[in-house]
Amino acid sequence: MLLIECPYCGERPELEFVYGGQAHIARPRQPAEVSAQQWADYLYRRDNTRGVHAERWRHTHGCGRFFNALRDTTTDHFLATYKVGEVRR
Amino acid sequence: MPLGLLFQGFRRRPPQRILPAAKPLRQRYDVVIIGGGGHGLATAYYLAKDHGIRNVAVLEKGYLAGGNTARNTAIVRSNYLTVEGVAFYAESVSLFANLSHELDFNIMYSERGHLTLAHTDAAVRTARWRAEVNKHLGVNSELIGPEEIARICPRLNLSRHARYPILAALYHPPGAIVRHDAVAWGYAAAAARLGVDIHVRTEVTGIATEGNRAIGVETSRGAILADKVAIAAAGHSSVLAAMAGVRLPLQSHPLQALVSEPVKPVLDCVVMSNTIHAYISQSDKGELVIGAGTDAYTSYTQRGALHINTHTLDAICELFPNFRRMRMLRNWGGIVDVTPDRSPIIAKTQVPGLYVNCGWGTGGFKATPGSAHVFAWTIARDEPHPINAPFTLERFRDGHLIDEAAAAAVAH
């Protein structure tokens, strides 16, 4: 089980968290104006990075807040966690 | 014991080599297949056998069939939910049933019968739906009640006082167990006899393109030119496709399995439950083979968290109270590539000459023959076979998703 550092609460076991997919993805501002391909890309295509991955987690069984994390997907080692709105570290 | 048999037992014979000896890497092939697992090797076999394309190389970065082919729970079934899905897996099951003869290699195909348990009204509804779709398409599945379940699998806890009582089950008699390594080895040997080159410890590090077209691959052993490049690399499909600038709608997750110490025959069917997440059968060796779930996060580690296994074992102990004192022998993980609609992608890409067979998620092994058969067709003719025509990359753009979440083995 992973040990994850919530930027608000500190280190907690993975069971308290829910994974939220790739971070820093913005919904198109005008969904009606983007092409079908752009909309499908937004909905379905993710980097699926092999290496350092920026991702969202939610501390569901704790403070309930979303935050971002950098994790190496080849080792599952967390490099950093940071609050939503902060730039990627 | 007959004397003849005894005599054979003591006769000294040199060990028979199953797999072909290594060959030097050629500079050019008609088709290069990336990934030496079941799917890649079978694709090479069907390219050579059905389409006469024999100048084919299969490139494997590790050892043959060391990825998900060796890491699955070796179960074969075709009781899916969508018309497209059933067509696919039904072809696979029928090819599997005759594969030992076709490859002249014993894959130890063993029909066991497959039970998908329903613990809720919603699950009963889905089971009934799947049974009707299956019957309509000629696949043997039916909804059965507790009495029939008790007859087929007497060890199941059918008490009304269980935490999640079993209400009904989808029974699929053709569900089978296969020796998974043998599938890959059989295809490898048969493909090599037809002239296919199999290169292990040959990692693809780049895909060469000219204009927009794929023209070959860079490998750890040098460059290879090819008219066509086909990716059959399961969890690493995204990484390989990205080398040609193709972005796939995949997420790679760890999927775990575990086995118990071997015991005498105690379970002769395959039992699965989506609701409480259990998947169990007994191998010919006697081990209980248990499929656990996927971890929620993307990862390439080929291992997962222990709590995923514990969760599955809790469910197994609930279903089979007399397995509570069984000891688990070993566990492992593979990396599965999951699509948004839980159906695979077997298609051309926007790069001419580059083909992908990916997105099998947690159900790739059982699809090996059927998938490879139509993938070979797609590569050879540069157009999809009718069976894989719906399984394109464009379906995500066009909204023609093929939702198999209800029938996938693992609740992703």
Side-chain angles (χ1 to χ4, degrees):
Chain A
M1 190 182 304
L2 306 175
L3 195 58
I4 303 175
E5 186 171 344
C6 169
Y8 304 96
C9 310
E11 281 188 345
R12 298 295 172 87
E14 180 195 339
L15 278 182
E16 293 189 8
F17 298 85
V18 169
Y19 178 69
Q22 191 180 339
H24 306 297
I25 291 176
R27 180 190 293 120
R29 284 184 177 276
Q30 302 289 344
E33 288 172 17
V34 299
S35 69
Q37 186 62 60
Q38 285 168 319
W39 186 246
D41 289 350
Y42 161 67
L43 281 183
Y44 300 126
R45 294 201 197 196
R46 297 293 180 264
D47 288 345
N48 202 17
T49 310
R50 188 177 197 277
V52 178
H53 186 232
E55 60 197 22
R56 301 190 307 166
W57 286 84
R58 185 176 178 218
H59 194 184
T60 321
H61 299 290
C63 63
R65 290 160 102 167
F66 277 97
F67 61 91
N68 293 329
L70 292 183
R71 182 177 52 94
D72 187 336
T73 61
T74 61
T75 60
D76 289 340
H77 179 70
F78 279 90
L79 306 173
T81 56
Y82 51 100
K83 294 175 182 174
V84 168
E86 292 178 10
V87 291
R88 177 178 166 161
R89 293 195 185 166
Chain B
M1 183 187 282
L3 275 174
L5 194 60
L6 196 65
F7 175 70
Q8 288 290 336
F10 283 109
R11 227 172 81 176
R12 288 202 172 269
R13 259 187 297 189
Q16 292 256 317
R17 192 183 170 90
I18 299 169
L19 297 176
K23 291 187 196 169
L25 204 63
R26 275 189 244 166
Q27 294 197 329
R28 200 199 148 275
Y29 288 95
D30 292 345
V31 178
V32 162
I33 297 168
I34 308 172
H39 281 252
L41 294 165
T43 303
Y45 169 73
Y46 290 114
L47 274 174
K49 176 179 157 271
D50 294 348
H51 304 282
I53 302 174
R54 297 180 176 207
N55 184 21
V56 174
V58 178
L59 308 181
E60 166 57 47
K61 73 171 173 182
Y63 57 95
L64 218 56
N68 292 354
T69 305
R71 292 160 193 270
N72 57 74
T73 49
I75 291 161
V76 171
R77 63 187 173 97
S78 61
N79 55 351
Y80 276 69
L81 177 64
T82 65
V83 173
E84 296 90 341
V86 173
F88 225 120
Y89 291 100
E91 181 180 79
S92 250
V93 171
S94 69
L95 286 169
F96 258 129
N98 190 43
L99 206 56
S100 292
H101 296 288
E102 182 171 350
L103 301 179
D104 190 21
F105 198 94
N106 190 359
I107 62 164
M108 298 170 80
Y109 187 83
S110 165
E111 264 186 27
R112 300 288 181 93
H114 185 286
L115 287 169
T116 309
L117 305 178
H119 307 263
T120 64
D121 288 346
V124 175
R125 172 182 159 275
T126 307
R128 185 184 294 272
W129 182 5
R130 280 167 68 183
E132 293 308 316
V133 171
N134 287 188
K135 279 188 245 181
H136 184 64
L137 297 167
V139 170
N140 188 359
S141 290
E142 60 185 318
L143 187 72
I144 59 171
E147 278 178 22
E148 184 70 3
I149 297 171
R151 192 188 61 75
I152 294 165
C153 190
R155 280 175 201 277
L156 264 177
N157 176 13
L158 286 155
S159 159
R160 301 291 302 158
H161 304 292
R163 175 68 184 83
Y164 294 100
I166 297 164
L167 305 179
L170 178 70
Y171 181 47
H172 179 54
I177 296 175
V178 183
R179 187 183 174 207
H180 48 192
D181 297 325
V183 174
W185 297 341
Y187 272 122
R193 282 199 296 272
L194 294 172
V196 170
D197 282 8
I198 297 165
H199 300 291
V200 295
R201 294 173 179 273
T202 308
E203 183 172 1
V204 170
T205 53
I207 294 176
T209 51
E210 194 174 82
N212 180 29
R213 212 189 146 75
I215 54 156
V217 293
E218 311 283 338
T219 78
S220 53
R221 292 170 59 198
I224 305 173
L225 288 173
D227 293 344
K228 294 173 177 179
V229 177
I231 299 173
H236 283 75
S237 301
S238 297
V239 177
L240 286 159
M243 292 174 183
V246 175
R247 208 167 132 90
L248 297 171
L250 297 175
Q251 294 276 275
S252 294
H253 296 274
L255 174 66
Q256 296 179 82
L258 55 160
V259 293
S260 73
E261 57 194 343
V263 289
K264 287 181 180 177
V266 285
L267 182 67
D268 64 358
C269 56
V270 182
V271 175
M272 105 183 225
S273 164
N274 300 51
T275 310
I276 59 174
H277 203 280
Y279 206 162
I280 185 167
S281 60
Q282 188 174 21
S283 71
D284 292 327
K285 246 192 304 188
E287 303 153 324
L288 295 178
V289 181
I290 296 167
T294 49
D295 281 277
Y297 47 82
T298 60
S299 178
Y300 288 85
T301 54
Q302 288 190 321
R303 61 173 186 258
L306 187 63
H307 66 88
I308 303 282
N309 290 337
T310 314
H311 178 68
T312 295
L313 290 173
D314 286 347
I316 299 279
C317 292
E318 177 82 12
L319 290 175
F320 296 96
N322 54 359
F323 290 166
R324 279 190 181 157
R325 289 166 70 191
M326 291 288 291
R327 282 171 295 191
M328 294 300 133
L329 206 60
R330 54 178 200 278
N331 69 316
W332 62 91
I335 301 299
V336 297
D337 43 328
V338 179
T339 56
D341 62 358
R342 312 310 186 228
S343 286
I345 300 164
I346 303 136
K348 305 201 279 182
T349 63
Q350 81 257 23
V351 175
L354 182 68
Y355 306 82
V356 289
N357 168 16
C358 62
W360 285 98
T362 57
F365 172 70
K366 65 177 74 66
T368 304
S371 157
H373 185 238
V374 297
F375 191 39
W377 172 298
T378 308
I379 297 163
R381 305 190 181 207
D382 201 35
E383 63 179 27
H385 184 280
I387 287 183
N388 69 315
F391 295 89
T392 60
L393 268 169
E394 290 77 26
R395 72 175 187 268
F396 299 99
R397 179 194 66 200
D398 300 337
H400 292 159
L401 304 190
I402 304 160
D403 188 357
E404 279 292 6
V410 175
H412 308 291

